[in-house]
Short mmCIF file of all heavy atoms in Angstrom, two decimals:
data_model
loop_
_atom_site.label_atom_id
_atom_site.label_comp_id
_atom_site.label_asym_id
_atom_site.label_seq_id
_atom_site.Cartn_x
_atom_site.Cartn_y
_atom_site.Cartn_z
N GLY A 30 52.39 -39.89 91.83
CA GLY A 30 51.29 -40.16 92.77
C GLY A 30 51.20 -39.14 93.85
O GLY A 30 52.09 -38.30 94.00
N ARG A 31 50.13 -39.20 94.61
CA ARG A 31 49.92 -38.27 95.72
C ARG A 31 51.04 -38.38 96.72
O ARG A 31 51.66 -39.42 96.86
CB ARG A 31 48.61 -38.64 96.44
CG ARG A 31 47.41 -37.87 96.02
CD ARG A 31 46.25 -38.12 96.94
NE ARG A 31 45.95 -39.51 97.13
CZ ARG A 31 45.99 -40.12 98.34
NH1 ARG A 31 46.33 -39.46 99.39
NH2 ARG A 31 45.65 -41.38 98.43
N SER A 32 51.23 -37.26 97.40
CA SER A 32 52.16 -37.30 98.50
C SER A 32 51.80 -38.37 99.51
O SER A 32 50.60 -38.51 99.84
CB SER A 32 52.13 -35.91 99.15
OG SER A 32 52.99 -35.87 100.26
N ASN A 33 52.75 -39.11 99.95
CA ASN A 33 52.54 -40.15 100.98
C ASN A 33 51.91 -41.45 100.52
O ASN A 33 51.57 -42.32 101.31
CB ASN A 33 51.69 -39.55 102.11
CG ASN A 33 52.11 -40.15 103.46
OD1 ASN A 33 53.30 -40.35 103.71
ND2 ASN A 33 51.14 -40.38 104.34
N VAL A 34 51.70 -41.55 99.18
CA VAL A 34 51.04 -42.76 98.67
C VAL A 34 52.00 -43.98 98.63
O VAL A 34 51.62 -45.12 98.57
CB VAL A 34 50.42 -42.48 97.29
CG1 VAL A 34 51.49 -42.46 96.21
CG2 VAL A 34 49.34 -43.48 97.00
N GLY A 35 53.33 -43.63 98.71
CA GLY A 35 54.32 -44.69 98.76
C GLY A 35 55.21 -44.81 97.54
O GLY A 35 55.74 -45.86 97.26
N LYS A 36 55.39 -43.71 96.80
CA LYS A 36 56.24 -43.76 95.61
C LYS A 36 57.64 -44.22 95.90
O LYS A 36 58.19 -45.13 95.30
CB LYS A 36 56.29 -42.39 94.93
CG LYS A 36 54.98 -41.90 94.40
CD LYS A 36 55.05 -40.45 93.91
CE LYS A 36 55.40 -39.45 95.02
NZ LYS A 36 54.41 -39.40 96.11
N SER A 37 58.24 -43.57 96.95
CA SER A 37 59.60 -43.91 97.30
C SER A 37 59.68 -45.37 97.82
O SER A 37 60.59 -46.10 97.46
CB SER A 37 60.12 -42.94 98.37
OG SER A 37 60.03 -41.61 97.92
N SER A 38 58.70 -45.74 98.60
CA SER A 38 58.71 -47.13 99.11
C SER A 38 58.54 -48.14 97.99
O SER A 38 59.16 -49.22 98.07
CB SER A 38 57.54 -47.30 100.12
OG SER A 38 57.60 -46.35 101.13
N VAL A 39 57.77 -47.84 96.99
CA VAL A 39 57.59 -48.80 95.86
C VAL A 39 58.94 -48.93 95.11
O VAL A 39 59.38 -50.02 94.80
CB VAL A 39 56.49 -48.30 94.89
CG1 VAL A 39 56.52 -49.08 93.59
CG2 VAL A 39 55.10 -48.45 95.56
N VAL A 50 65.84 -44.81 98.28
CA VAL A 50 65.06 -43.56 98.28
C VAL A 50 64.58 -43.36 99.70
O VAL A 50 64.09 -44.29 100.35
CB VAL A 50 63.81 -43.66 97.39
CG1 VAL A 50 63.23 -42.27 97.16
CG2 VAL A 50 64.15 -44.28 96.06
N LYS A 51 64.73 -42.16 100.21
CA LYS A 51 64.23 -41.84 101.51
C LYS A 51 62.69 -41.88 101.49
O LYS A 51 62.08 -41.17 100.74
CB LYS A 51 64.66 -40.45 101.97
CG LYS A 51 66.04 -40.46 102.60
CD LYS A 51 66.34 -39.13 103.23
CE LYS A 51 67.78 -38.78 103.06
NZ LYS A 51 68.08 -37.78 102.09
N SER A 52 62.12 -42.74 102.33
CA SER A 52 60.69 -42.70 102.52
C SER A 52 60.46 -42.14 103.93
O SER A 52 61.32 -42.30 104.78
CB SER A 52 60.04 -44.07 102.31
OG SER A 52 60.24 -44.82 103.43
N SER A 53 59.37 -41.53 104.11
CA SER A 53 59.20 -40.97 105.43
C SER A 53 57.76 -40.81 105.80
O SER A 53 56.85 -40.80 104.95
CB SER A 53 59.86 -39.57 105.52
OG SER A 53 58.98 -38.59 105.05
N SER A 54 57.48 -40.72 107.09
CA SER A 54 56.10 -40.55 107.53
C SER A 54 55.75 -39.06 107.49
O SER A 54 54.59 -38.69 107.70
CB SER A 54 55.92 -41.08 108.95
OG SER A 54 56.97 -40.67 109.76
N THR A 55 56.75 -38.17 107.19
CA THR A 55 56.43 -36.77 106.97
C THR A 55 56.24 -36.54 105.49
O THR A 55 57.21 -36.59 104.74
CB THR A 55 57.59 -35.86 107.46
OG1 THR A 55 58.23 -36.47 108.58
CG2 THR A 55 57.09 -34.46 107.77
N PRO A 56 55.01 -36.36 105.04
CA PRO A 56 54.81 -36.23 103.61
C PRO A 56 55.40 -34.91 103.03
O PRO A 56 55.67 -33.99 103.79
CB PRO A 56 53.27 -36.26 103.44
CG PRO A 56 52.70 -36.22 104.80
CD PRO A 56 53.78 -36.21 105.83
N GLY A 57 55.52 -34.93 101.76
CA GLY A 57 55.93 -33.69 101.08
C GLY A 57 57.44 -33.45 101.10
O GLY A 57 57.91 -32.35 100.82
N LYS A 58 58.21 -34.45 101.46
CA LYS A 58 59.64 -34.29 101.54
C LYS A 58 60.32 -34.18 100.17
O LYS A 58 61.31 -33.43 100.03
CB LYS A 58 60.28 -35.48 102.28
CG LYS A 58 60.22 -35.34 103.83
CD LYS A 58 61.44 -34.59 104.37
CE LYS A 58 61.26 -34.13 105.79
NZ LYS A 58 61.16 -35.24 106.74
N THR A 59 59.83 -34.91 99.18
CA THR A 59 60.46 -34.96 97.91
C THR A 59 60.04 -33.71 97.09
O THR A 59 58.85 -33.61 96.69
CB THR A 59 60.11 -36.23 97.16
OG1 THR A 59 60.14 -37.33 98.07
CG2 THR A 59 61.10 -36.51 96.02
N ASP A 75 61.69 -40.69 90.55
CA ASP A 75 60.79 -40.46 91.66
C ASP A 75 60.31 -39.02 91.60
O ASP A 75 61.06 -38.10 91.86
CB ASP A 75 61.57 -40.74 92.99
CG ASP A 75 60.67 -40.75 94.21
OD1 ASP A 75 59.45 -40.89 94.06
OD2 ASP A 75 61.18 -40.62 95.31
N LEU A 76 59.05 -38.86 91.25
CA LEU A 76 58.51 -37.49 91.13
C LEU A 76 57.98 -37.04 92.45
O LEU A 76 57.54 -37.83 93.26
CB LEU A 76 57.38 -37.48 90.09
CG LEU A 76 57.79 -37.63 88.62
CD1 LEU A 76 56.63 -38.09 87.76
CD2 LEU A 76 58.31 -36.30 88.13
N PRO A 77 58.03 -35.70 92.71
CA PRO A 77 57.42 -35.21 93.97
C PRO A 77 55.94 -35.52 94.00
O PRO A 77 55.28 -35.56 92.96
CB PRO A 77 57.67 -33.69 93.91
CG PRO A 77 58.15 -33.40 92.59
CD PRO A 77 58.51 -34.63 91.84
N GLY A 78 55.43 -35.75 95.19
CA GLY A 78 54.02 -36.08 95.31
C GLY A 78 53.13 -34.88 95.20
O GLY A 78 53.46 -33.78 95.68
N TYR A 79 51.97 -35.05 94.57
CA TYR A 79 51.05 -33.90 94.51
C TYR A 79 50.05 -33.96 95.67
O TYR A 79 49.91 -35.01 96.35
CB TYR A 79 50.27 -33.90 93.17
CG TYR A 79 49.67 -35.21 92.74
CD1 TYR A 79 48.38 -35.58 93.21
CD2 TYR A 79 50.31 -36.01 91.82
CE1 TYR A 79 47.82 -36.80 92.80
CE2 TYR A 79 49.74 -37.21 91.39
CZ TYR A 79 48.48 -37.58 91.86
OH TYR A 79 47.94 -38.79 91.51
N ASN A 143 48.90 -49.27 95.68
CA ASN A 143 49.84 -49.62 96.75
C ASN A 143 49.14 -49.68 98.13
O ASN A 143 48.01 -49.25 98.27
CB ASN A 143 50.96 -48.54 96.79
CG ASN A 143 52.07 -48.90 97.74
OD1 ASN A 143 52.47 -50.05 97.83
ND2 ASN A 143 52.60 -47.94 98.45
N LYS A 144 49.83 -50.17 99.06
CA LYS A 144 49.32 -50.41 100.44
C LYS A 144 48.19 -51.45 100.39
O LYS A 144 47.24 -51.40 101.18
CB LYS A 144 48.89 -49.08 101.09
CG LYS A 144 49.93 -47.99 101.03
CD LYS A 144 49.68 -46.86 101.97
CE LYS A 144 50.72 -45.74 101.76
NZ LYS A 144 50.60 -44.60 102.71
N ALA A 145 48.29 -52.40 99.46
CA ALA A 145 47.27 -53.44 99.36
C ALA A 145 47.21 -54.34 100.60
O ALA A 145 46.23 -55.00 100.84
CB ALA A 145 47.52 -54.29 98.10
N ASP A 146 48.29 -54.25 101.42
CA ASP A 146 48.25 -54.99 102.68
C ASP A 146 47.17 -54.54 103.62
O ASP A 146 46.77 -55.21 104.53
CB ASP A 146 49.65 -54.90 103.36
CG ASP A 146 50.08 -53.49 103.55
OD1 ASP A 146 50.59 -52.88 102.59
OD2 ASP A 146 49.95 -52.92 104.64
N LYS A 147 46.68 -53.34 103.35
CA LYS A 147 45.57 -52.79 104.19
C LYS A 147 44.18 -53.28 103.77
O LYS A 147 43.19 -52.96 104.43
CB LYS A 147 45.59 -51.26 104.16
CG LYS A 147 46.81 -50.62 104.84
CD LYS A 147 46.64 -49.14 104.86
CE LYS A 147 47.80 -48.48 105.60
NZ LYS A 147 47.65 -47.01 105.55
N TYR A 172 49.57 -53.87 94.92
CA TYR A 172 51.01 -53.83 95.30
C TYR A 172 51.11 -53.52 96.82
O TYR A 172 50.25 -52.83 97.37
CB TYR A 172 51.73 -52.72 94.55
CG TYR A 172 53.20 -52.87 94.52
CD1 TYR A 172 53.87 -53.46 93.43
CD2 TYR A 172 53.99 -52.39 95.56
CE1 TYR A 172 55.24 -53.58 93.40
CE2 TYR A 172 55.41 -52.50 95.55
CZ TYR A 172 56.00 -53.11 94.44
OH TYR A 172 57.35 -53.25 94.43
N SER A 173 52.11 -54.06 97.43
CA SER A 173 52.42 -53.65 98.81
C SER A 173 53.93 -53.55 98.97
O SER A 173 54.63 -54.52 98.87
CB SER A 173 51.87 -54.66 99.81
OG SER A 173 52.38 -54.36 101.07
N ALA A 174 54.36 -52.30 99.19
CA ALA A 174 55.80 -52.10 99.42
C ALA A 174 56.17 -52.74 100.74
O ALA A 174 57.35 -53.11 100.96
CB ALA A 174 56.13 -50.62 99.43
N LYS A 175 55.17 -52.96 101.57
CA LYS A 175 55.45 -53.54 102.90
C LYS A 175 55.64 -55.06 102.81
O LYS A 175 56.61 -55.60 103.32
CB LYS A 175 54.23 -53.25 103.81
CG LYS A 175 54.56 -53.31 105.25
CD LYS A 175 53.33 -52.83 106.04
CE LYS A 175 53.47 -53.17 107.48
NZ LYS A 175 52.25 -52.82 108.25
N SER A 176 54.77 -55.78 102.10
CA SER A 176 54.85 -57.20 102.03
C SER A 176 55.60 -57.71 100.79
O SER A 176 55.95 -58.89 100.73
CB SER A 176 53.43 -57.80 102.05
OG SER A 176 52.83 -57.62 100.79
N1 GTP B 201 51.02 -50.29 105.09
C1 GTP B 201 51.77 -49.82 104.13
N2 GTP B 201 52.44 -48.65 104.30
C2 GTP B 201 53.21 -48.17 103.25
C3 GTP B 201 53.33 -48.86 102.06
N3 GTP B 201 54.13 -48.13 101.21
C4 GTP B 201 54.48 -47.04 101.91
N4 GTP B 201 53.92 -47.04 103.16
C5 GTP B 201 54.08 -45.99 104.18
O1 GTP B 201 53.54 -44.76 103.67
C6 GTP B 201 54.34 -43.64 104.13
C7 GTP B 201 54.76 -42.81 102.91
O2 GTP B 201 55.67 -43.58 102.12
P1 GTP B 201 56.64 -42.85 101.05
O3 GTP B 201 57.27 -43.97 100.27
O4 GTP B 201 57.56 -41.92 101.76
O5 GTP B 201 55.61 -42.04 100.19
P2 GTP B 201 55.89 -41.01 98.98
O6 GTP B 201 54.78 -41.21 98.04
O7 GTP B 201 57.26 -41.20 98.46
O8 GTP B 201 55.74 -39.66 99.75
P3 GTP B 201 56.31 -38.17 99.25
O9 GTP B 201 57.77 -38.34 98.86
O10 GTP B 201 56.11 -37.35 100.47
O11 GTP B 201 55.44 -37.76 98.13
C8 GTP B 201 55.47 -44.20 104.91
O12 GTP B 201 55.14 -44.11 106.27
C9 GTP B 201 55.55 -45.68 104.47
O13 GTP B 201 56.07 -46.54 105.42
C10 GTP B 201 52.64 -50.14 101.89
O14 GTP B 201 52.66 -50.83 100.90
N5 GTP B 201 51.89 -50.53 102.98
#
Side-chain angles (χ1 to χ4, degrees):
R31 263 190 309 121
S32 176
N33 215 36
V34 76
K36 295 173 296 300
S37 303
S38 304
V39 167
V50 194
K51 275 190 215 107
S52 77
S53 84
S54 46
T55 326
K58 277 271 166 67
T59 319
D75 190 17
L76 287 160
Y79 49 83
N143 187 41
K144 309 195 186 184
D146 53 280
K147 292 185 176 178
Y172 199 96
S173 169
K175 202 172 166 186
S176 73

